[in-house]
Amino acid sequence: MENQWLKSFIKAAKYENLRLASEELFISQPAVTKHIQSLHIQLFVRQNKSIRLNQNGELLSPIAQEIIDTFEAGIHRFQQYVDGFERELKIAVAP
């Protein structure tokens, strides 16, 4: 399973619209459809020109988001390590 497949699913679920998902991801609408089909499970119900999550999609949505968040956080931490940063410094400023 590829991260891009999950990202396509997450955006399509967020907007309940494949065109809007494709625009946000900067890929074609057929690519979004192909990514979602690559997950090999029915996740949406079609209603005319719109889509909505079915029971499978409702279950997968928070899991997919957690997978992507964890992956991106790990990549960020690893990149900081490679760049020589071992800790994160946070600076807060009062108005």
Side-chain angles (χ1 to χ4, degrees):
M1 181 181 308
E2 301 216 9
N3 286 339
Q4 190 61 40
W5 300 352
L6 291 177
K7 288 180 181 180
S8 294
F9 165 68
I10 290 166
K11 294 300 180 187
K14 175 182 175 182
Y15 294 115
E16 294 185 338
N17 186 300
L18 296 174
R19 183 184 57 80
L20 293 176
S22 70
E23 288 176 4
E24 185 162 324
L25 294 167
F26 301 107
I27 59 176
S28 69
Q29 185 175 335
V32 171
T33 302
K34 189 70 171 171
H35 290 168
I36 293 168
Q37 288 173 345
S38 296
L39 295 171
H40 301 292
I41 187 165
Q42 188 68 31
L43 298 166
F44 293 98
V45 175
R46 282 206 178 271
Q47 295 178 327
N48 299 324
K49 292 185 178 184
S50 66
I51 58 173
R52 70 176 171 80
L53 291 172
N54 64 15
Q55 187 175 0
N56 296 333
E58 291 283 347
L59 181 63
L60 181 61
S61 185
I63 296 168
Q65 187 64 58
E66 185 178 348
I67 290 169
I68 294 301
D69 291 347
T70 301
F71 176 79
E72 289 178 352
I75 292 296
H76 178 71
R77 282 197 342 245
F78 180 72
Q79 190 60 49
Q80 285 182 324
Y81 174 77
V82 168
D83 291 342
F85 299 106
E86 295 182 20
R87 288 188 254 160
E88 185 174 312
L89 174 63
K90 294 183 182 182
I91 300 174
V93 178

